[in-house]
Amino acid sequence: MTLWALEIEYDGTPFMGWQRQKHGLAIQQVIEEAASRLRGGAEITEAISAGRTDAGVHALAMMVQIELPDFTPYRIREAMNFHLKPHPIAVLRCGVAPAGWNARFSAKSRSYRYVILNRPQPPTLEVNRVWHVKTRLDEQAMHRAAQHLLGHHDFSSFRASACQAKSPMRTLDYVSVHREGEKVIMETSARSFLHHQVRNMIGSLKMVGEGHWPESRMAEILAAQSRPKAGQTAPAEGLYFTGVEYDPPLELA
């Protein structure tokens, strides 16, 4: 067997999240079951991802490591996609992993996008893919407020109570909020994030965008190091894992 790096895309709507669960289908389980078909049917429980997305969260370019036969990248990709049917998961690119590489621990940066559909009418074509907010948002105020979060901080105010990270300290490298027509979009990246950190950040920024909180409130929330001081946890359906960076970059086809 050879260790492969798979870049996958998925719609998180029907899944319990990335990690295998006792009750309900997880993305990890579907990947491992598809891989087992390439390995003669043996049970596999070894797929590792760059991030552990929650139930309902989507991915545009999640990286996964798993041992598979020494086929060509084209054959691996086509075979995996055949056995992933009918689930909404696809292998976009793949390649043999370099020596010592780990999908999770070798990551230098992870990126997320959060999409708000900002209009009075509810979504129809994008159900389960956006957070619907009726009130007109001031995306420029949200962007300015978000800049208070940049840098190395204690992000306890934006951390889920069930978070298993040993430390609440994280370094937010980039965050922006902009509008594209009826959508307000937040883009952010860091080496790693706390559980629900991105969803809690956008939940607070929404309060700024609606005019309920001043932009300076974000700095106050951050300094408080208290989850009740921040806004709601935004729904999972608006969140997308958009990519992960490695040094050196992976060679995928």
Side-chain angles (χ1 to χ4, degrees):
M1 293 292 108
T2 299
L3 185 65
W4 283 82
L6 309 179
E7 184 182 69
I8 68 170
E9 174 186 271
Y10 55 81
D11 174 358
T13 304
F15 301 108
M16 298 297 292
W18 161 261
Q19 195 166 9
R20 272 184 179 263
Q21 305 288 330
K22 293 182 179 179
H23 306 288
L25 190 63
I27 298 148
Q28 182 183 26
Q29 178 183 341
V30 175
I31 292 289
E32 290 172 344
E33 289 178 353
S36 73
R37 302 292 295 274
L38 277 67
R39 291 173 50 172
E43 184 178 0
I44 300 174
T45 57
E46 61 188 39
I48 297 174
S49 67
R52 296 180 180 180
T53 53
D54 291 329
V57 176
H58 317 294
L60 303 181
M62 176 64 75
M63 199 61 63
V64 177
Q65 70 176 65
I66 193 165
E67 289 191 346
L68 295 169
D70 189 18
F71 296 156
T72 64
Y74 173 82
R75 188 176 176 188
I76 289 289
R77 186 176 68 247
E78 293 301 301
M80 283 293 294
N81 284 336
F82 178 81
H83 292 299
L84 286 168
K85 297 175 183 177
H87 304 288
I89 306 174
V91 176
L92 303 179
R93 301 188 298 162
C94 60
V96 174
W101 177 81
N102 182 281
R104 180 182 177 188
F105 296 112
S106 298
K108 300 300 181 183
S109 178
R110 295 169 174 84
S111 299
Y112 284 91
R113 175 180 303 151
Y114 198 95
V115 181
I116 296 174
L117 180 64
N118 189 209
R119 71 182 192 190
Q121 303 84 359
T124 54
L125 301 179
E126 295 182 295
V127 172
N128 297 322
R129 300 214 178 15
V130 295
W131 181 16
H132 179 221
V133 176
K134 295 182 179 180
T135 305
R136 177 76 180 187
L137 297 174
D138 182 344
E139 71 280 0
Q140 295 182 9
M142 293 171 69
H143 175 77
R144 291 190 296 269
Q147 305 315 297
H148 290 290
L149 303 177
L150 287 172
H152 188 65
H153 305 286
D154 182 325
F155 279 92
S156 293
S157 294
F158 302 98
R159 180 185 191 181
S161 59
C163 181
Q164 298 178 353
K166 294 180 180 179
S167 170
M169 303 301 296
R170 290 293 185 272
T171 302
L172 195 67
D173 296 316
Y174 176 80
V175 61
S176 72
V177 180
H178 67 280
R179 178 177 291 276
E180 295 181 8
E182 295 178 328
K183 294 178 180 176
V184 173
I185 301 170
M186 181 179 76
E187 305 272 7
T188 187
S189 63
R191 180 157 193 161
S192 63
F193 291 87
L194 299 169
H195 191 199
H196 286 177
Q197 181 179 341
V198 177
R199 290 166 60 188
N200 290 337
M201 285 163 50
I202 194 68
S204 294
L205 290 172
K206 168 181 171 285
M207 298 293 287
V208 175
E210 290 176 328
H212 299 305
W213 290 352
E215 297 169 19
S216 59
R217 181 71 172 268
M218 294 301 289
E220 296 171 4
I221 293 171
L222 188 64
Q225 300 176 18
S226 171
R227 178 66 189 94
K229 296 294 184 180
Q232 72 178 97
T233 301
E237 57 259 33
L239 185 59
Y240 297 76
F241 183 97
T242 55
V244 55
E245 294 182 6
Y246 299 98
D247 186 17
L250 296 174
E251 295 183 6
L252 305 176

